[in-house]
Amino acid sequence: MSATSAVEQAEIRAMARELAARELAPRAAALDGGGRDVFEECWRLLVELGFDRVLLDERHEGAGLGIADLLAVVEELAVGEGGVAMCVLLCNAALGTLDDEQLAQVPAGARWAVLRAAPAEVSGVDGRLDGMVACALGAHGADGLVILLEVPQPAAWAIVAGAPGLTLEDDTAQMGLRAARAASIGIAGIESAPRAADAIGSVGIASAPGAMALLRAGTAAIARGISRCAYEKALDYAQARRQGGVAIIEHDAVSDMLAAMAVRLACPQRAVTDSSRIVIDQAQALAMKIAASDAAVASATDAVQVFGGTGYMVETGIEKVMRDAKYC
Amino acid sequence: MTSITAERPLSEQFPRLAADAGRLDVGELQRIRARARRFAKEHIRPRALEIDRRTGEEPAWFDWGLVRAGGEAGMLRLLIPRPAGGDGGMSTQAAVVMEELCVACPGIALIFGAHALGISPLLLGGPSQWDGVLAELIESEYTTEPQLMACALTEPEAGTDVEDPDLLRRARITSHARRVPGGFRLSGTKRFISNGSVARWITLLMPTDPRRPADTWTCFLLDTRSEGFAVSRVEHKMGQRACPAAELTFDEVFVPDERVVSREGDGAAATTIVLACSRPPVAAIATGIARGAYERVLGWLTEDPAANGLLQRQHVQLALAGMEEEIHLARQLYMDAASELDHTALGGVVSHPAVRALAHVPGSLRRRAPLRGWLASDRARDATIALLHRTTSDRAVTRSLALSSMAKAHGGDVAMRVTGTALDLVGLSAGPVRAELEKLWRDAKLTQIYEGTNQLNRLEVYRGLCRSETMSCLPPLRRIELDADAAARANGHGRPHLHTDEAEQPRVEGNGGRA
C-alpha cells in the first residue's frame, strides 16, 4: 500500500477538522459529563467517515490510509474533543494488531481499545492471561480489548468483550479525557493465543511494540490538538475581554503566555513514518509523546490563567482542556 | 505520612517569630497548629473526596456539619480580636492554620479562609467593630447554627482590576452604593464570592460614585437577610468545590450608616491592607496543597505494593527531594511575609497602648452608651486612621504587600508543580491515591488565580521591591477634601460624605451605572 499524497492528507485533515468543529466541540461538555448517548452519536459519525478503521484496507471495510493520516485525524479531532480522539486512536491501534482472521470477526462500527499492562499487573504464561489493570482508557463499553505485555516476551492479546473471566469496573474518579471512559479490568484465567512481538497485523504493525509506538505517537498528536484548542480559546478570550481600558491581550502578562503557547505549537512534533506505515523509531515516538504532553499541560494551564477566575468555572470549557491535557 | 519539615517546632523553623515574642505567643501558635492538624485529620480528610464528588454534581450543596466541627475546633475565631471573644490572630495564625487544613482538603479549608477574609476588613474598623457582628459570630459558635462571613470584591467585568488601586481607576465597575438618608442603597452584581451563598454577613466593596471608583470605593457590612439581596447562582468549579463560589445580586439593598466599615472612600486603601494580610494565608493554602500531594505520594511509594520498588529509583528520589525543597521554601516565604505584616507593618497599631487599654475595658462597660457612642462616632473612626498613620507608613505596607504577593505567586506555582509531579509519579494505575492527587491538582490551579492572578501579584513585587515604589496604602487622615458639599457635614452624624443628598446624585438603575 502506498502512502497518501500531501493533497489527500490535507483533505483528510480538513474532514476531521470540520467534524471536530461542527459535531465534537459543541458536545464537549456533554461528553465530559459522561453522556453515553452523546458519545454513541459521535461514534456513529466517526464510523461513517471511516475514522474507526483508518489503517485497515478495503477487505476490512477500512479507509486504507497510513499512520501519518491517522495522526493527523486524531490531532484534528482533539481540537474539538480530546476523549473522542483518544477513542479513535485506541480503536485504530487495537484493530491494527489483529490478523485477517481476527478482523473478520469484528463487526462494522465496533469500538476496540488497547492498553499496556505492566508485569506486576498482568501475567501471560502458557496461553493463559491473569491479573488486573486500573484505569484503562476507553475500556468502558469497548467491544474488544487488546492487551500489550512486555514479558516474558512482547506480545498482544486480543479479548472480545464478554469473554468469560473478563470483568470491567467503571472508573468513576477519571479526571480527564472522560469521553474515553476508563475502567479497571480484571482478568481471570482467560485463554487466548497471543500474537508474538514479530507477528505483523493485517496493516503491517508489529503487534506489541508497533502498537505501543503508535499509541505514543498518537497521544502526542492528541496532546498537540489539545494545545491548539487551548491556544485558540485563550486567544479569542484575550481579544474580547477588556481590563484596564484595553483588551487583555494588550497586557504583556497575557501576550507572553499566548506567545509561549504559539511557540510550543511551532515546534515540529509529528512522527516520521515510512511507506510501510510503521512508526520508524520507538524512541522518537516516546520523545514526541513526552514533549507534546508537557506542552499541552503548559498551554492548557496558561489558557486557564488567561481566562482568570472565569476559566476556573466549568461552563467556560477551558478547565476541561486542562484536565484532558494532564491525561495525555 | 507527614513531611519532616512540617513537623519541626515553629520557633526552630522561623527564628523571626522570637522577635515578635511580645505580641505573639509562639507556644500558643504551636498549639493552634496542632489543633488545626488534628481537625484536618479527623474531620476533613475522611470527607474530602466525597464532598468534592457531591459538590461536583450539586455545586450549591454545603456541609454545615463541617462548619460546626470547625467552630468547635476554633477555626472560626482565629482572626476575631480577643476583646470580642476571639483568638486575636493575624496573618501568621491564619497562614499556619491554612497550611494544615489544606493538606487534607483546600476546598474545605477555603470555607474557613473565606470566613477569615470576610472578617479582615472589620479589623480595620478598630474597636468600634468589637461589640457588633464580631461578637455575634463568637456567640453563634456556641449554637447549632454557626455564622459564616464572606468578602465580596470581584464583579462580572472587573476581577484583577478591583485588587489594584491603579487598575481600579480604569475598571469597568458596574456596582453602585447610592447615598440615601441614613445610609446607602446598594445595586449591582458581585461574582465568584467564596462562601457567598452561605454567609450570614458579607463585607463588600462598592463605589459611592461609579465615575470615580478608586476615590469612592467603600466597604460595607451587609446583612444577607436584607431585602433586595439575592444569591443568583452558585458556580460549578474545577476544584476547591466544598466552598461555594456564588454570584450575588444587589437590588437597592439598604445598608445603614453604622454598617459602613471605616469611612466612605477608604475602601481602596482597606483592600490593599486586607490583601497584604490575606495573601500569606493564600500562599499557605498553596503550600498545604503541595505538602498534601507530597505526603500522599511519599506514603504511596513507601507503603503500597503497587508502587513496585519505585522508591529505590534515583529519579524518584530526586523528584521527592525537589518537592520537599520547594515546599520548605514556600513555607519560609509565606511566614516571612506574614511576620512582616503582623510585626513590622501592623504590629505597632495592634500593640499600641491605647488599643491595649481599650482591650482591657470590660465588654459590659464598652457596650454602655457613652463609650459605645464614642467608639461608633466619626471621631473614633478618624482616630483609628490617625493611629494607623502614627504606627505604620505607606512604605511599610507597600513592602509588606510586595512580600505577601511574592509568597502568594510563588506558592501557587509550587502547588501546581508539586501536584503535577506527584501525578506523574503515580500514573493512572495508582488506585485511590490517584483520585486524591488529581483533586489536589485541580484545587491547586485556583491558587494561581484568586487573591489576584499571579501576574498581578508579581507586578506588585516589581513595584514594591524592584522599584521601591510607595503606594498610597493608608486611608487619608481626613476625607474632608473629598467632600463635595460642606453642608453635608451637618447631616446629622457630622460625617463627611461625597454625596449626602439623593437629589444631588442621579439614581442609577440596573447595572449600577457603569461610568
Side-chain angles (χ1 to χ4, degrees), chain A:
Chain A
M1 298 169 198
S2 60
T4 48
S5 68
V7 174
E8 286 171 318
Q9 195 176 107
E11 286 174 357
I12 295 161
R13 185 179 277 273
M15 201 161 63
R17 183 178 299 165
E18 190 192 340
L19 179 79
R22 194 183 65 235
E23 306 291 350
L24 301 186
R27 293 177 169 92
L31 289 161
D32 183 55
R36 294 323 280 173
D37 291 345
V38 181
F39 178 81
E40 295 304 333
E41 193 180 335
C42 291
W43 189 254
R44 186 178 53 76
L45 295 169
L46 292 160
V47 170
E48 281 175 10
L49 292 173
F51 288 159
D52 60 328
R53 296 182 179 216
V54 173
L55 301 177
L56 302 186
D57 59 25
E58 289 178 357
R59 290 178 300 138
H60 301 297
E61 300 174 32
L65 302 174
I67 285 176
D69 304 311
L70 174 62
L71 298 184
V73 165
V74 294
E75 178 183 327
E76 294 300 334
L77 294 178
V79 179
E81 214 292 318
V84 169
M86 180 57 78
C87 284
V88 169
L89 172 67
L90 293 168
C91 189
N92 278 281
L95 298 183
T97 64
L98 304 184
D99 61 22
D100 288 344
E101 190 180 330
Q102 289 170 315
L103 282 171
Q105 306 296 317
V106 178
R111 183 174 67 79
W112 277 55
V114 61
L115 60 124
R116 172 181 167 273
E121 293 172 321
V122 175
S123 72
V125 183
D126 299 332
R128 184 187 161 94
L129 209 57
D130 287 282
M132 195 184 142
V133 183
C135 196
L137 286 178
H140 179 92
D143 298 299
L145 297 172
V146 171
I147 299 176
L148 307 176
L149 298 183
E150 291 177 357
V151 293
Q153 62 275 326
W157 299 64
I159 307 172
V160 178
L166 178 70
T167 55
L168 272 75
E169 188 181 341
D170 197 9
D171 187 333
T172 54
Q174 184 179 355
M175 179 178 74
L177 299 176
R178 286 162 56 88
R181 202 153 155 187
S184 292
I185 300 171
I187 304 161
I190 294 181
E191 294 184 357
S192 170
R195 295 179 55 71
D198 55 353
I200 305 297
S202 68
V203 299
I205 298 176
S207 61
M212 269 318 299
L214 177 57
L215 275 184
R216 284 166 177 156
T219 304
I222 290 170
R224 187 177 164 80
I226 289 172
S227 292
R228 282 172 51 195
C229 175
Y231 174 66
E232 289 168 12
K233 282 177 182 279
L235 185 60
D236 286 348
Y237 184 79
Q239 288 167 336
R241 172 78 176 181
R242 295 181 72 79
Q243 185 189 66
V246 296
I248 61 171
I249 197 170
E250 300 299 328
H251 295 292
D252 289 351
V254 173
S255 60
D256 278 1
M257 286 189 279
L258 290 164
M261 291 182 213
V263 167
R264 289 183 204 111
L265 284 172
C267 295
Q269 290 169 6
R270 294 193 180 92
V272 177
T273 60
D274 69 8
S275 57
S276 65
R277 299 179 300 171
I278 300 170
V279 176
I280 290 174
D281 190 337
Q282 304 270 342
Q284 186 203 27
L286 188 55
M288 281 166 48
K289 191 265 180 196
I290 292 168
S293 56
D294 283 353
V297 170
S299 289
T301 305
D302 277 355
V304 172
Q305 194 71 12
V306 168
F307 275 74
T310 306
Y312 200 69
M313 306 305 154
V314 171
E315 66 175 333
T316 57
I318 193 68
E319 61 84 38
K320 170 194 176 294
V321 178
M322 185 175 150
R323 286 186 283 112
D324 286 349
K326 191 62 186 165
Y327 261 50
C328 285

Side-chain angles (χ1 to χ4, degrees), chain B residues 129-143:
Chain B
Q129 299 291 335
W130 291 350
D131 297 308
V133 167
L134 293 177
E136 191 177 317
L137 292 175
I138 292 291
E139 285 169 22
S140 78
E141 282 186 38
Y142 298 103
T143 71

